[in-house]
Amino acid sequence: MTAITCAFTGHRPKSFPWKYNESAPDCVLLKEILAAKIEVLVNQGVTDFLSGMALGADLWCSQIVLDLKKKKPALKLHCVLPCKGQESKWTASAQEHYYSILAQANEVVYVRQEYSRDCMLERNRWMVDRASILLAVYNGTYRSGTGMTVRYAQKLGREIIIIDPVLRSITHSPQVTK
């Protein structure tokens, strides 16, 4: 991809204090901060966004990109799925939202056809390998998929923007050129 590309990573709802309650004031504020940050990235020239389409931050960021795409049709959303059936155990409403996003995406990529123990890790690395920026909703938990993704992006010298989901503070590590 020659376009400026940003990948998303973040925790699942069970890791947030508000759990699955997206109308909780703290969740609403976090989504507003995400929308503002994604809009800044678009204004800085980011055109392509990679989402792993997991519950929580991934789906929120994907929806924000789709909403921005209405005003800026040049934006592209690439849904990078770890395997077929990722959503099979989700609630009906979560599945409906997931399918709606997939239907509006510019591209849907399956890293694996079937589930394997490391397909989520493979998906995350696939995205970081193809992105120049990683936007992470990350609470600092070391033993998490989000933590592993952030560390992988650091190892590759990617630009990393971390939004703490509770404090809503933003830290920014510029891209490291090797």
Side-chain angles (χ1 to χ4, degrees):
M1 291 178 194
T2 55
I4 300 176
T5 303
C6 174
F8 300 125
T9 190
H11 300 294
R12 308 299 179 273
K14 65 180 177 7
S15 298
F16 299 126
W18 56 84
K19 305 294 183 206
Y20 290 84
N21 180 9
E22 290 190 33
S23 60
D26 285 341
C27 184
V28 171
L29 282 170
L30 176 59
K31 287 181 181 180
E32 288 172 1
I33 289 167
L34 281 169
K37 194 66 192 168
I38 292 169
E39 191 153 15
V40 165
L41 289 169
V42 167
N43 292 336
Q44 291 173 343
V46 176
T47 55
D48 287 56
F49 293 89
L50 306 175
S51 173
M53 294 294 290
L55 285 172
D58 288 6
L59 290 183
W60 303 336
C61 290
S62 299
Q63 188 61 58
I64 291 164
V65 170
L66 291 175
D67 292 344
L68 284 170
K69 205 171 137 94
K70 291 172 187 158
K71 291 181 264 174
K72 300 182 185 251
L75 297 180
K76 291 186 173 73
L77 176 65
H78 306 271
C79 297
V80 184
L81 310 180
C83 60
K84 293 197 173 182
Q86 163 177 255
E87 76 295 350
S88 61
K89 294 184 172 117
W90 299 359
T91 64
S93 63
Q95 287 186 30
E96 191 177 310
H97 189 214
Y98 176 84
Y99 297 135
S100 165
I101 292 171
L102 289 180
Q104 298 172 74
N106 295 83
E107 179 183 30
V108 177
V109 175
Y110 289 93
V111 175
R112 289 271 179 113
Q113 290 301 305
E114 293 181 18
Y115 175 81
S116 69
R117 208 169 44 98
D118 57 354
C119 66
M120 308 287 177
L121 176 66
E122 284 181 44
R123 182 243 353 246
N124 296 344
R125 287 186 169 202
W126 191 99
M127 292 191 307
V128 171
D129 286 343
R130 288 157 181 81
S132 50
I133 302 166
L134 178 68
L135 176 59
V137 177
Y138 180 45
N139 63 13
T141 305
Y142 188 84
R143 290 179 56 87
S144 66
T146 301
M148 290 189 339
T149 305
V150 167
R151 289 190 302 280
Y152 184 66
Q154 287 169 331
K155 183 177 142 192
L156 296 185
R158 300 297 191 255
E159 179 177 347
I160 303 168
I161 300 161
I162 296 175
I163 300 175
D164 182 292
V166 176
L167 302 174
R168 294 181 297 280
S169 57
I170 299 172
T171 55
H172 184 245
S173 305
Q175 189 164 6
V176 178
T177 50
K178 294 182 178 184

